[in-house]
Amino acid sequence: MDKPTGSTVSPQEALIYAMVTLSAVDRQMTDRELRKIGDVVNTLPIFGGFDTDRLVAVAEACATITREEDGLHAVLATIATSLPKKLHETAYALAVEVAAADLHVEQEELRFLELLRDVLDVDSLTAAAIERGARARYRTL
């Protein structure tokens, strides 16, 4: 997939776009996924200084883009153009974290992760390691 051109948002907003889009792509944003997004934004150092009161507005802005014609690709383009290379793996890891949060990954979520991996140029070995780590963290008895 060619790297698309898109509008830009802050890197923190782009990370939120990745998580929100993953959660919404199957048309079911579960409570676990939404809690995970909130937990990530509230606890990870990358979101230091981010005004958490803006989380809902950022999520709504992302949702607005996804409803446009070719919205999914527009969101992917925005994520890709807004993140420095050093945060590409972070974006992928956060999306995987949200996917794993409800202990069931839908086909649409897998497809979004594939598209995100491609647009961010996350290599397959790194992606596999990120996915394996999430499986280990979310394994149940």
Side-chain angles (χ1 to χ4, degrees), residues 13-132:
E13 290 169 330
L15 294 172
I16 292 167
Y17 277 28
M19 292 186 289
V20 166
T21 305
L22 181 284
S23 179
V25 75
D26 65 353
R27 308 223 188 304
Q28 292 182 355
M29 294 181 82
T30 67
D31 289 342
R32 281 185 173 202
E33 289 171 338
L34 294 173
R35 271 195 306 275
K36 175 52 71 178
I37 293 168
D39 289 348
V40 164
V41 172
N42 282 311
T43 60
L44 289 187
I46 193 68
F47 291 102
F50 179 77
D51 179 3
T52 56
D53 291 338
R54 292 188 51 244
L55 179 56
V56 171
V58 172
E60 288 173 349
C62 178
T64 297
I65 296 169
T66 63
R67 287 190 293 270
E68 295 172 0
E69 185 176 336
D70 205 24
L72 180 60
H73 287 95
V75 167
L76 286 165
T78 298
I79 293 168
T81 58
S82 299
L83 288 175
K85 177 81 173 137
K86 70 179 186 175
L87 293 181
H88 287 193
E89 292 171 0
T90 302
Y92 187 74
L94 294 182
V96 168
E97 200 69 22
V98 172
D102 61 5
L103 308 178
H104 179 73
V105 181
E106 296 290 340
Q107 204 56 40
E108 298 91 344
E109 293 171 325
L110 291 172
R111 179 66 181 135
F112 175 75
L113 288 171
E114 183 181 324
L115 293 170
L116 184 63
R117 193 170 52 237
D118 288 348
V119 78
L120 295 178
D121 199 27
V122 175
D123 68 85
S124 59
L125 188 58
T126 300
I130 290 168
E131 293 160 9
R132 177 83 179 217

